[in-house]
């Protein structure tokens, strides 16, 4: 028995209808039958038909299983990927700088803050920026992970007011 669908606005219903139609088109372009996709997704053909018709009561889990069976889950992973990535036209407020930065969360910061030994040690954003600036020559830039690069950029933009003294 289908789940009770929450009411959607006209805009969201239209959008869901477009997504559902694209799922159907993807299945047809791959020359896959509804039975094949349903079997691989672990659902019934009727449920797949409901999804392809834009029925809003189809669960997100079912939708994800169908995307995976059509080899489209990577497209969704791209949308869900890097939380710092901005979508076209997106205007999110910048994340606030934390009051304390945990040294152990950032490999290069951990390397240059070798003198701070206690587990779970933290530094202020000002101290973190100063550590990076004083020790930049010791930072292996090829090994700076994206999360740490984002931290450095945020430190420079906020604490350093756009200036990185290296």
């Amino acid at each position: 028995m289908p789940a009770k669908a929450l009411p959607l606005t006209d805009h969201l219903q239209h959008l869901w209808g477009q997504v559902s139609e694209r799922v159907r088109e993807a299945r047809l372009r791959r020359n896959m039958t509804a039975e094949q996709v349903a079997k691989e997704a672990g659902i019934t053909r009727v449920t797949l038909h409901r999804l392809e018709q834009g029925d809003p009561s189809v669960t997100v889990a079912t939708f994800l299983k169908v995307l995976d069976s059509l080899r489209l889950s990577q497209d969704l992973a791209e949308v869900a990927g890097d939380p710092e990535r901005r979508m076209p036209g997106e205007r999110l407020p910048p994340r606030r700088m934390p009051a304390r930065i945990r040294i152990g969360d950032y490999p290069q910061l951990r390397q240059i803050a070798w003198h701070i030994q206690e587990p779970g040690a933290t530094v202020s954003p000002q101290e973190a920026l100063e550590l990076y600036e004083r020790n930049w020559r010791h930072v292996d830039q090829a090994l700076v992970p994206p999360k740490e690069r984002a931290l450095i950029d945020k430190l420079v933009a906020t604490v350093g007011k756009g200036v990185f003294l290296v």
Side-chain angles (χ1 to χ4, degrees):
M1 179 171 188
K4 182 176 180 193
L6 296 175
L8 296 177
T9 64
D10 291 341
H11 169 72
L12 290 177
Q13 184 61 47
H14 177 73
L15 184 62
W16 178 242
Q18 288 179 321
V19 168
S20 298
E21 179 60 29
R22 288 194 181 122
V23 167
R24 181 178 177 282
E25 290 169 1
R27 176 178 62 79
L28 295 174
R29 276 194 313 273
R30 287 163 175 73
N31 293 319
M32 295 178 76
T33 66
E35 290 81 14
Q36 289 172 313
V37 172
K39 182 177 180 182
E40 191 169 332
I43 61 173
T44 66
R45 187 191 53 74
V46 172
T47 300
L48 177 62
H49 179 72
R50 286 186 17 245
L51 186 153
E52 290 181 351
Q53 295 303 308
D55 183 340
S57 69
V58 174
T59 66
V60 172
T62 298
F63 178 64
L64 293 173
K65 288 178 188 179
V66 170
L67 286 184
D68 196 45
S69 69
L70 293 170
R71 312 300 182 259
L72 290 171
S73 56
Q74 184 56 39
D75 294 346
L76 189 59
E78 252 183 67
V79 171
D82 181 6
E84 297 296 324
R85 180 178 141 218
R86 298 284 189 236
M87 302 300 283
E90 181 178 27
R91 291 191 178 123
L92 291 178
R95 287 189 179 167
R96 291 181 20 180
M97 181 62 64
R100 304 294 293 175
I101 297 167
R102 190 165 171 264
I103 294 171
D105 290 346
Y106 303 96
Q108 294 299 310
L109 181 59
R110 188 173 48 244
Q111 290 292 331
I112 61 178
W114 56 269
H115 58 287
I116 303 174
Q117 296 293 320
E118 60 267 12
T122 63
V123 292
S124 71
Q126 181 69 42
E127 292 168 319
L129 180 61
E130 289 170 0
L131 280 166
Y132 282 117
E133 289 177 335
R134 275 196 316 268
N135 298 290
W136 191 247
R137 66 186 178 279
H138 302 296
V139 172
D140 187 345
Q141 294 182 37
L143 297 178
V144 177
K147 178 181 172 185
E148 189 165 6
R149 173 67 58 197
L151 171 69
I152 295 168
D153 291 344
K154 193 178 296 182
L155 287 169
V156 170
T158 57
V159 178
K161 296 180 177 38
V163 179
F164 192 36
L165 301 174
V166 293

